[in-house]
Amino acid sequence: MTRKTTQDRLLDAAEELFAVQGIAAVSLRQITSEAGANLAAVHYHFGSKRDLVLAVFKRRIEPINAERLRRLDALQAAADAPVLEDLLRVFLEPALAFVAEGPRTFFQLVGRAHAEPDEALKLDLMSNFGEVARRFLDAFCAAVPEVARDEMTWRLHFLVGSMVHLLINEVALVVISQGDCDPSDPTGSALERLVAFGAAGLRAPVPESVR
Amino acid sequence: MTRKTTQDRLLDAAEELFAVQGIAAVSLRQITSEAGANLAAVHYHFGSKRDLVLAVFKRRIEPINAERLRRLDALQAAADAPVLEDLLRVFLEPALAFVAEGPRTFFQLVGRAHAEPDEALKLDLMSNFGEVARRFLDAFCAAVPEVARDEMTWRLHFLVGSMVHLLINEVALVVISQGDCDPSDPTGSALERLVAFGAAGLRAPVPESVR
DNA sequence: GTCTATAACTAGATAGAC
DNA sequence: GTCTATCTAGTTATAGAC
């Protein structure tokens, strides 16, 4: 087994540290020290801290959106208009499942990235999400023909908000439940709970006031 | 008209800058310069940057939660079990309305705070949200008796996620809609859209798998 | 590719004059 | 309460040896 390259070790260390402490709070010294590399290695391999941040996101996000599309293809091959709940699982699971399997920390980081002030970073993050959003919007609209596409777009936005919040804010759930909910199993019950909540939300009758 | 105190000017400047650039990215020098105050004034009035941050949040959050409870009292005085949609408006509006009336930036900041790595700050932020959450959970459960309280707690969590996401991520909505949605009117149509989405989600049948 | 050394700068915090 | 001046410690980034 060959040892990981310096580049990979830097990406691993940065991902972990960014997730725990937030991007701005982590210094290159912490990253290189954690990765067992030299301070100058970041600039040699990535050019700057900002480019390292972009590389950290790119490495994970592309496979996940690819997985979403792959599963969506499979679902649509099996049935012309898949039911909404199945579509939601296909959309949410590649994200939530990763929390359990892979580096759990990365999804805290994705959540954090959504709140970053750096608009260019967010746009970059969503560079290949545009395709995913379009495909899923089409499928949601086919599954719920009573809801117009622009209304469905708002609802997808709300859904993404619920998902992101679930990924970062364990604390909030503990506080509002006063200890009754265990948020540490987001792959298990949380997925099904969010599917039920989201499906009902996407199917909701469109109110008069916004028609 | 008396001029605002240095304390207030510092709070105003910090709020604005934190909202636009993120908390970690703003220096005390920027804040004091914007407020027309001296660098040392922050330490004199607040003690440290962290204490200034806490003061910025405290000034706004307490009145909003108070308003939520005041309206909830009024609603419950008029009807024993108010309908879910009215409860949602009472919960969401004091937050969303502020975006239009008051300092619009503050709610970007609230959104950002939800993604902060500083757990102590988040707990402090939610110090008086516990009471609000309990009261609204009771009311939601009374309006939708089929859903158990712990399930309703998860759903309130999802709802808060949608609300927060709406407050910070205008960019995301523009990207996924490819320009079809105008996110710049969060008080108007967005409130009613989110009420419809959230009400349906809170009322969703509880799936077998989580019962 | 990896290292040391250091440049160039910025941060939060504080002492002490007024 | 407000100022200047400064301390200490941290940051990113780079030049140049190996």
Side-chain angles (χ1 to χ4, degrees):
Chain A
M1 174 187 161
T2 26
R3 191 149 189 277
K4 279 183 175 175
T5 64
T6 299
Q7 267 195 51
D8 279 335
R9 294 198 325 274
L10 287 171
L11 288 171
D12 291 343
E15 178 176 284
E16 173 81 26
L17 288 165
F18 287 158
V20 175
Q21 304 182 32
I23 296 171
V26 175
S27 71
L28 296 185
R29 281 175 165 80
Q30 280 179 278
I31 294 168
T32 50
S33 152
E34 183 71 26
N38 186 275
L39 174 59
V42 168
H43 296 93
Y44 178 80
H45 288 286
F46 299 96
S48 69
K49 179 179 179 177
R50 192 162 190 290
D51 289 325
L52 171 63
V53 173
L54 291 178
V56 165
F57 282 102
K58 196 181 164 86
R59 182 172 67 148
R60 302 282 183 207
I61 287 192
E62 288 180 5
I64 284 163
N65 281 333
E67 174 71 5
R68 280 172 162 155
L69 292 178
R70 200 191 58 71
R71 290 202 203 177
L72 179 59
D73 288 338
L75 204 61
Q76 288 178 328
D80 257 12
V83 296
L84 188 55
E85 279 78 359
D86 288 337
L87 290 169
L88 282 173
R89 276 183 206 101
V90 161
F91 180 74
L92 297 171
E93 235 238 322
L96 297 185
F98 219 27
V99 175
E101 299 163 19
R104 134 154 234 173
T105 47
F106 177 67
F107 275 87
Q108 284 179 34
L109 180 53
V110 168
R112 258 193 234 312
H114 280 268
E116 276 290 309
D118 184 338
E119 295 293 324
L121 169 63
K122 289 201 280 191
L123 281 172
D124 202 273
L125 265 179
M126 288 188 293
S127 58
N128 64 356
F129 187 67
E131 160 79 355
V132 172
R134 197 185 55 70
R135 287 285 309 277
F136 277 90
L137 269 174
D138 289 343
F140 291 160
C141 286
V144 191
E146 314 85 66
V147 175
R149 193 186 170 86
D150 72 324
E151 181 66 27
M152 192 58 91
T153 307
W154 282 92
R155 292 178 179 189
L156 174 58
H157 193 58
F158 298 148
L159 178 70
V160 169
S162 300
M163 185 189 76
V164 168
H165 196 62
L166 181 60
L167 294 170
I168 20 174
N169 274 301
E170 299 194 353
V171 172
L173 184 59
V174 173
V175 169
I176 67 178
S177 74
Q178 275 139 8
D180 287 347
C181 291
D182 174 16
S184 64
D185 176 31
T187 20
S189 70
L191 173 64
E192 285 308 314
R193 290 178 210 273
L194 184 51
V195 166
F197 177 86
L202 296 187
R203 281 200 190 97
V206 181
E208 292 289 327
S209 50
V210 301
R211 253 193 291 229
Chain B
M1 172 188 159
T2 26
R3 188 145 192 279
K4 279 183 173 175
T5 64
T6 299
Q7 268 194 51
D8 279 335
R9 295 199 324 275
L10 287 171
L11 288 171
D12 290 343
E15 178 175 284
E16 172 81 25
L17 288 165
F18 288 157
V20 174
Q21 304 181 32
I23 296 172
V26 175
S27 70
L28 296 185
R29 284 173 170 82
Q30 277 180 275
I31 294 168
T32 49
S33 153
E34 182 71 28
N38 187 274
L39 174 59
V42 168
H43 297 94
Y44 178 80
H45 288 287
F46 299 96
S48 69
K49 179 178 180 178
R50 192 161 190 293
D51 289 326
L52 171 62
V53 172
L54 291 177
V56 165
F57 283 101
K58 196 181 164 87
R59 181 173 66 149
R60 302 282 182 206
I61 287 191
E62 285 180 6
I64 285 164
N65 282 333
E67 174 69 5
R68 281 174 162 154
L69 291 178
R70 201 192 55 72
R71 291 204 203 177
L72 179 58
D73 287 339
L75 203 60
Q76 288 178 328
D80 257 11
V83 295
L84 189 55
E85 278 79 0
D86 288 336
L87 290 169
L88 281 174
R89 276 185 206 100
V90 161
F91 179 74
L92 296 170
E93 235 237 321
L96 296 184
F98 217 27
V99 175
E101 299 165 18
R104 136 156 229 173
T105 49
F106 176 68
F107 275 88
Q108 285 177 35
L109 181 52
V110 170
R112 257 193 234 312
H114 279 268
E116 276 288 308
D118 185 338
E119 295 292 324
L121 169 63
K122 289 201 282 191
L123 281 170
D124 201 273
L125 265 179
M126 288 187 292
S127 58
N128 66 355
F129 186 68
E131 160 79 355
V132 173
R134 197 185 55 70
R135 287 284 311 275
F136 276 91
L137 268 175
D138 288 343
F140 291 160
C141 286
V144 191
E146 314 84 66
V147 176
R149 192 185 170 89
D150 72 323
E151 181 66 26
M152 192 59 90
T153 307
W154 281 92
R155 292 178 179 186
L156 174 58
H157 192 58
F158 298 147
L159 178 72
V160 169
S162 299
M163 184 189 78
V164 167
H165 196 61
L166 180 62
L167 294 169
I168 18 173
N169 274 300
E170 300 194 352
V171 172
L173 185 58
V174 173
V175 169
I176 67 178
S177 73
Q178 273 137 12
D180 287 346
C181 292
D182 174 17
S184 64
D185 177 30
T187 19
S189 70
L191 173 65
E192 284 308 313
R193 290 177 209 273
L194 185 50
V195 166
F197 177 86
L202 296 187
R203 281 198 190 99
V206 180
E208 292 287 328
S209 49
V210 300
R211 253 192 291 231

